[in-house]
């Protein structure tokens, strides 16, 4: 029987840090977390206060703007958890950066390129290397407590990436990058249907407004009941994936489990 493991990239702070902690606390599977730098610090922050087997956590160096580090992480995890006996059950791919653009005149080419590289090209390259670690049609995969019933590659989108929901405009590059993630999730999922059947799927997620550095400028305008701490967001997103099932594949889902249309 193939044994599951999980991955969160990046996991040095914010939602990623809390997702890694949530998986360590609520499952018994190995967890791989990544960071661009300060790996020991990231490991310390993830494990802080947790009563878990620390050997379950691996922290690897990964920069989504450098494909060689993504390939190296995939190779290392393949060595740690070989496909002959293991499979990637849940991968959160959540790189993100935001430079506000309230009017077209505020668009800066360097900032826009950075957002596209991290928010869209990052998940694209992660998908390239991580899809090979998901179970194949022939894999023997059983249900596992507090994990999705279907192996899941989860990409971080946002409600502002929905073209049909866009009534305010603004945030031009950020919107475009997140719209791209929603489209990417659909395309990657079609590939996984062909390669993995119902054993693996790809979805996009919207976590709501979370108290992270990325969203700090917008906290004041968000109702208290819709402004989440990182641990709240992690619990809600994992809960959505646990209950989604293969029928939810290829689409974008928010923290309540409601679909966000493209």
């Amino acid at each position: 029987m193939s044994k599951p493991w999980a991955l969160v990239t990046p996991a040095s702070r914010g939602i990623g840090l809390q997702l890694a902690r949530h998986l360590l606390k609520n499952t018994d599977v190995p967890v791989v977390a990544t960071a661009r730098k300060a790996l020991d610090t990231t490991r310390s922050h993830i494990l802080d206060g947790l009563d878990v087997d620390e050997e379950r956590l691996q922290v690897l160096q990964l920069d989504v703007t450098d494909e060689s580090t993504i390939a190296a992480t995939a190779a290392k995890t393949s060595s740690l958890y070989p496909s002959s006996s293991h499979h990637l059950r849940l991968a959160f791919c959540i790189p993100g950066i935001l430079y506000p653009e309230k009017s077209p005149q505020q668009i800066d080419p360097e900032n826009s390129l950075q957002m596209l590289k991290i928010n869209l090209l990052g998940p694209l390259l992660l998908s390239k290397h991580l899809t090979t670690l998901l179970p194949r049609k022939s894999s023997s995969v059983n249900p596992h407590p507090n994990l999705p019933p279907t192996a899941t590659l989860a990409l971080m989108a946002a409600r502002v990436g929905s073209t049909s929901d866009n009534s305010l405009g603004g945030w031009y590059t950020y919107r475009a990058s997140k719209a791209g993630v929603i489209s990417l999730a659909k395309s990657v999922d079609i590939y996984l249907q062909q390669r993995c059947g119902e054993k693996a799927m790809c979805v996009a997620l919207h976590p709501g407004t979370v108290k992270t550095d990325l969203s700090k400028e917008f906290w004041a305008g968000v109702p208290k009941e819709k402004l989440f701490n990182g641990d709240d967001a992690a619990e809600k997103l994992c809960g959505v994936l646990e209950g989604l099932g293969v029928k939810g594949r290829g689409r974008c889902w928010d923290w309540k489990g409601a679909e966000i249309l493209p």
Side-chain angles (χ1 to χ4, degrees):
M1 184 62 60
S2 183
K3 298 178 182 179
W5 59 279
L7 180 143
V8 182
T9 179
S12 54
R13 59 182 180 173
I15 299 175
L17 174 65
Q18 297 302 329
L19 282 168
R21 287 173 58 82
H22 179 89
L23 290 170
L24 286 169
K25 285 188 294 183
N26 294 282
T27 76
D28 60 2
V29 303
V31 175
V32 176
T34 78
R36 286 190 303 113
K37 56 184 180 180
L39 304 189
D40 289 342
T41 300
T42 296
R43 180 180 178 82
S44 176
H45 287 168
I46 292 173
L47 292 172
D48 185 33
L50 297 186
D51 182 17
V52 298
D53 178 4
E54 297 185 5
E55 295 301 314
R56 287 174 50 210
L57 176 65
Q58 297 284 336
V59 181
L60 304 179
Q61 194 271 332
L62 189 151
D63 179 347
V64 295
T65 66
D66 181 352
E67 186 180 5
S68 68
T69 68
I70 300 174
T73 293
K76 177 64 174 179
T77 56
S78 293
S79 175
L80 290 169
Y81 314 113
S83 60
S84 60
S85 56
H86 294 75
H87 67 275
L88 177 56
R89 184 59 160 266
L90 176 57
F92 283 103
C93 303
I94 58 173
I97 190 172
L98 168 61
Y99 295 106
E101 300 163 334
K102 297 181 180 180
S103 71
Q105 288 68 43
Q106 292 182 326
I107 296 172
D108 176 87
E110 291 187 7
N111 288 346
S112 291
L113 184 58
Q114 185 76 345
M115 279 189 278
L116 291 169
K117 286 175 67 176
I118 292 175
N119 297 352
L120 181 54
L121 183 59
L124 181 61
L125 292 175
L126 287 167
S127 298
K128 172 182 175 180
H129 291 276
L130 297 180
T131 49
T132 62
L133 307 177
L134 295 165
R136 299 293 297 267
K137 290 179 181 179
S138 59
S139 301
S140 179
V141 177
N142 273 352
H144 201 86
N146 300 324
L147 287 174
T150 299
T152 304
L153 182 65
L155 311 182
M156 192 64 80
R159 190 176 300 278
V160 296
S162 167
T163 301
S164 59
D165 188 64
N166 184 2
S167 61
L168 298 176
W171 319 113
Y172 301 92
T173 307
Y174 188 75
R175 281 187 188 274
S177 68
K178 293 303 184 178
V181 171
I182 294 174
S183 177
L184 173 61
K186 178 64 175 179
S187 294
V188 171
D189 185 68
I190 291 172
Y191 169 76
L192 290 177
Q193 287 186 60
Q194 298 165 348
R195 185 178 191 273
C196 309
E198 294 193 352
K199 299 292 177 65
M201 67 181 188
C202 182
V203 298
L205 295 175
H206 167 55
T209 303
V210 184
K211 288 184 176 180
T212 65
D213 291 341
L214 184 146
S215 66
K216 193 170 185 177
E217 181 177 339
F218 317 112
W219 295 355
V222 178
K224 185 177 180 180
E225 67 275 12
K226 292 186 177 181
L227 182 60
F228 305 129
N229 291 317
D231 54 349
D232 293 329
E235 181 177 359
K236 291 178 186 298
L237 292 178
C238 287
V240 168
L241 293 183
E242 286 176 48
L244 198 56
V246 74
K247 292 183 178 179
R249 66 186 314 155
R251 292 182 276 170
C252 183
W253 302 93
D254 74 3
W255 54 274
K256 302 187 301 293
E259 184 178 2
I260 296 176
L261 297 176

